Amino acid sequence: MNHLLIAPVVLPAIVAPFTIMVLRHHLSLQRIFSLASVIALLAITLVLGAQAADGTVQVYELGNWPAPFGIVLVLDRLSALMLLLTSGLALAVVLYAIGSGWDARGRHFHALLQFQLMGILGAFLTGDAFNLFVFFEVLLIASYGLMIHGGGTKRLQAGVQYVVYNLLGSSLFLFALGTLYSVTGTLNMADLAVRVGELPADDTALLRVGAIMLLLVFAIKAAVLPLHFWLPASYANAPLPVAALFAIMTKVGAYGILRMYTLVFGPEVAATAGLIGDWLLPAALLTLAIGAIGVLGAREIGRLVAFGAIASMGTLLVAIALFTPQATAAALYYTVHSTLAAGLLFLVADLVMERRGGDIIAQRPMAQTGLIASLFFVGAIAMAGMPPLSGFVGKLLVMDAARGHDLVWWIWAVILVGSLITIIGFARAGTEIFWKSHDASHIREPEPEVPVDDAQAQPEALAPSAPTLPFVACFGLLAGLVLLTVFAGPMLDYTNATAAQLFDPDIYIDAVLKRAEQ
Amino acid sequence: MEFLFASAVGILTAAGVYLILRKRTFPVILGLSLLTYGVNLFLFATGRLMVNAPPVLNKYAEVAYTDPLPQALVLTAIVISFGMTAVVVMIALGAYLSAKDDQIDMVEDTTRAGDDA
């Protein structure tokens, strides 16, 4: 077995407790270890990505137990892509948090971040549905800590909502898993796929219930329309660098849908055939619409970006709901794009927030306006899907994939009008924040400095004299977006191959259950 | 027994959902606990209900055994739900002490998002 496969889970799992136990009082050492861990993760995921690129599915059996009985980790092209995306985003977030001093505003930032990475990376790797639940809980419990990092009344109140909502989602997840287990007698995903395929056609009512509950769980994580209420309040009130990391968390929901509904409830399973297309597509379109409208209506930059993230989730889910290999390839391309774009915009929003407050009203000009404004505009262009950046390519791919669909005009109209509304919203906010602030007639009284309520905060870290590291992080993400645009061709080759692999689940099942050897 | 069991799961879940829809944090947390109890019982039932049967194979005698996997799942779920309940209680306490109010929804005020300097 390839032991590198489990390293993305084990490495943060070692670094996080080490940070808490040994480095509790040494912030600079915490930073060094956290950064080293994330860089190592990036290197590991790069190697894993290179290994998965040739189309082999690698299986890691924990404790050497064969597949349906033991827990397995599975690496295929989709997992490798998501791993790489996570570690890349994490590197930017860690750099930003160190540079901006966010990690000094409460305790255990780096430990929680490592635990969160462990949960996310594990969720992408696991091949067992119950294990997916456990990794969900790991990433959620770390996210609760990160969400209220730094404290403050508003953040704590938003945190309560966030935690309660996610606990509800977890209960629903357990109900769904229980239902699936009672029907099939297994929770290994590959084994589930086999058993679901063998189920007699008139005995699938319970299976459908389980499948719908599972879809609801992933929809909660992905912030699909009727279940999206948690996202704006949580993300806007969370520390914004943390919100940037959370940009990958909504993708975990999208990943769950993709994985379960290509592997277990694939297109050929009659019982759940119409589920994705009939239910997810309208919800995704509405999500896109509400996200765009929210961007237009936001009065605060954190909420602006949060709604932008919802809109891009809508686009992504439209592509997933079309449920063809071509659309799935487009969805994967868009996943990478929207994670990088949302991460970048959340970081830029934090730069703005630090310097002048988050309200979208004209105020006094802030330091480094020009640099931040250009980053904001480039991020907004990417997020709204205007040329020349990858958002445009991604949306074009999604719309192209929708061509043969019955609702093609609806899809095109919603995506195009949504993009228009989004760009208007971002342009309005950007004008108000960056341009009107130079016009003296608009300047209002600056708000009084809010005192730091955390005694732990270190003054020199709070006011970095020459904060270059945050800009390094932002430009890193921006470079990712540019690379994604420039190398759209090779990237698309990879996502096409990934989609082909997803829609041929036998490769996955054979690898996990070792059917070929028997 | 099936009827009793099913109604227990149903009542726990219904009561949990009702309490979660309340406006104060204490009932909501209680509701979450009831819901997790409901889920745990439900998980037990997914391996089929059996009485007087151990969850292990016995090679010495021909006794019936019950499915061990749901018990393992329930054990994991109980531990996780305990931890989560502790976390939500701590955060809710923090929010209550900080805001002097245990409303679960946030009051819309004119000051901006906060004490987040």
Side-chain angles (χ1 to χ4, degrees):
Chain A
M1 278 189 293
N2 177 8
H3 289 287
L4 197 63
L5 224 169
I6 201 173
V9 182
V10 170
L11 180 67
I14 292 172
V15 173
F18 182 74
T19 310
I20 295 178
M21 288 196 295
V22 184
L23 309 176
R24 206 173 350 164
H25 304 298
H26 310 283
L27 185 63
S28 43
L29 276 178
Q30 283 187 18
R31 289 174 167 177
I32 292 169
F33 270 84
S34 190
L35 197 57
S37 157
V38 178
I39 291 173
L41 277 179
L42 190 60
I44 291 167
T45 49
L46 272 171
V47 174
L48 288 178
Q51 287 178 359
D54 60 357
T56 52
V57 177
Q58 292 190 57
V59 180
Y60 188 91
E61 293 169 344
L62 278 93
N64 241 342
W65 285 82
F69 309 110
I71 292 167
V72 286
L73 300 182
V74 186
L75 179 80
D76 63 351
R77 285 200 182 104
L78 177 60
S79 308
L81 180 68
M82 300 306 284
L83 290 178
L84 198 54
L85 184 59
T86 310
S87 52
L89 183 69
L91 179 60
V93 169
V94 169
L95 279 178
Y96 187 92
I98 292 174
S100 64
W102 259 108
D103 53 351
R105 292 182 197 182
R107 273 180 272 181
H108 306 315
F109 179 87
H110 289 293
L112 286 169
L113 188 112
Q114 295 294 329
F115 273 128
Q116 166 122 47
L117 285 179
M118 172 194 166
I120 296 174
L121 296 172
F124 289 143
L125 270 176
T126 185
D128 181 281
F130 192 79
N131 220 235
L132 185 64
F133 165 76
V134 175
F135 277 121
F136 260 59
E137 295 304 304
V138 172
L139 79 88
L140 283 175
I141 204 160
S143 78
Y144 302 154
L146 286 175
M147 159 91 208
I148 58 170
H149 176 80
T153 307
K154 197 105 183 199
R155 189 168 294 152
L156 281 169
Q157 285 183 315
V160 173
Q161 289 182 357
Y162 174 73
V163 177
V164 167
Y165 203 88
N166 274 303
L167 285 183
L168 265 176
S170 302
S171 300
L172 195 62
F173 203 166
L174 277 178
F175 272 120
L177 291 179
T179 313
L180 285 181
Y181 182 78
S182 69
V183 178
T184 59
T186 183
L187 282 174
N188 181 287
M189 289 188 205
D191 203 23
L192 262 177
V194 175
R195 304 273 180 99
V196 165
E198 287 168 352
L199 221 59
D202 51 351
D203 198 19
T204 54
L206 261 181
L207 185 74
R208 263 204 301 278
V209 172
I212 288 192
M213 284 201 285
L214 210 55
L215 186 62
L216 276 178
V217 173
F218 293 137
I220 289 176
K221 306 290 175 224
V224 181
L225 180 66
L227 309 165
H228 76 283
F229 293 105
W230 61 274
L231 195 143
S234 313
Y235 281 28
N237 287 308
L240 288 174
V242 170
L245 183 65
F246 284 7
I248 194 77
M249 269 175 37
T250 45
K251 297 339 182 259
V252 179
Y255 167 84
I257 294 176
L258 258 183
R259 176 66 84 205
M260 290 307 273
Y261 284 84
T262 51
L263 180 63
V264 179
F265 309 110
E268 73 280 358
V269 178
T272 54
L275 212 58
I276 281 267
D278 297 351
W279 291 90
L280 195 60
L281 187 57
L285 289 174
L286 285 172
T287 308
L288 176 51
I290 208 81
I293 294 168
V295 166
L296 199 59
R299 282 178 303 171
E300 205 263 330
I301 191 166
R303 286 182 83 83
L304 178 86
V305 182
F307 275 109
I310 291 184
S312 71
M313 269 325 278
T315 315
L316 171 57
L317 288 161
V318 166
I320 291 179
L322 291 173
F323 211 48
T324 59
Q326 192 197 355
T328 306
L332 292 172
Y333 183 87
Y334 200 79
T335 304
V336 179
H337 154 75
S338 79
T339 307
L340 295 177
L344 172 64
L345 270 178
F346 274 120
L347 293 187
V348 173
D350 189 60
L351 287 175
V352 174
M353 192 103 162
E354 293 291 294
R355 283 166 175 74
R356 66 183 282 285
D359 292 322
I360 302 178
I361 48 166
Q363 284 178 5
R364 280 167 207 285
M366 57 186 170
Q368 295 157 312
T369 308
L371 198 55
I372 297 173
S374 15
L375 277 172
F376 179 83
F377 283 119
V378 173
I381 284 170
M383 184 75 115
M386 302 303 271
L389 282 176
S390 50
F392 179 67
V393 183
K395 282 200 172 163
L396 215 58
L397 288 171
V398 173
M399 283 164 61
D400 188 41
R403 207 187 286 269
H405 198 270
D406 299 337
L407 294 173
V408 57
W409 293 112
W410 278 100
I411 296 170
W412 283 23
V414 172
I415 291 182
L416 289 175
V417 176
S419 303
L420 180 66
I421 297 179
T422 314
I423 199 74
I424 292 174
F426 274 110
R428 192 191 60 104
T431 319
E432 198 76 40
I433 292 172
F434 298 108
W435 286 348
K436 273 197 182 166
S437 57
H438 295 295
D439 178 358
S441 63
H442 285 284
I443 291 177
R444 304 181 193 177
E445 276 306 299
E447 298 193 8
E449 279 292 304
V450 184
V452 185
D453 55 354
D454 192 356
Q456 290 290 318
Q458 299 183 355
E460 77 273 20
L462 269 178
S465 50
T468 47
L469 225 43
F471 288 101
V472 171
C474 289
F475 278 107
L477 287 177
L478 184 57
L481 282 174
V482 172
L483 285 180
L484 191 61
T485 318
V486 175
F487 293 105
M491 185 64 201
L492 205 59
D493 289 342
Y494 186 86
T495 58
N496 272 323
T498 310
Q501 194 179 37
L502 282 176
F503 279 85
D504 188 8
D506 283 335
I507 307 171
Y508 186 101
I509 297 169
D510 288 346
V512 174
L513 298 182
K514 300 220 170 74
R515 284 198 305 204
E517 293 171 18
Q518 288 167 5
Chain B
M1 186 176 73
E2 279 80 2
F3 176 75
L4 266 179
F5 198 93
S7 52
V9 174
I11 290 169
L12 277 173
T13 310
V17 170
Y18 173 76
L19 284 175
I20 284 169
L21 297 177
R22 312 258 54 188
K23 280 172 77 177
R24 309 228 159 236
T25 44
F26 184 65
V28 169
I29 292 170
L30 269 188
L32 278 174
S33 310
L34 286 186
L35 199 62
T36 49
Y37 291 147
V39 174
N40 292 342
L41 286 178
F42 174 76
L43 277 185
F44 256 121
T46 56
R48 310 289 179 270
L49 293 173
M50 282 183 89
V51 181
N52 283 337
V56 283
L57 279 169
N58 191 337
K59 64 177 174 181
Y60 298 112
E62 288 285 318
V63 286
Y65 69 96
T66 183
D67 191 347
L69 197 71
Q71 315 217 355
L73 300 187
V74 167
L75 208 58
T76 316
I78 287 175
V79 173
I80 289 177
S81 70
F82 263 13
M84 291 295 176
T85 310
V87 169
V88 70
V89 166
M90 289 310 294
I91 296 179
L93 257 180
Y96 170 62
L97 293 176
S98 176
K100 305 274 182 286
D101 185 18
D102 65 344
Q103 291 265 1
I104 196 109
D105 56 339
M106 290 153 68
V107 187
E108 196 67 39
D109 60 5
T110 46
T111 58
R112 71 179 183 80
D115 323 25
D116 49 297

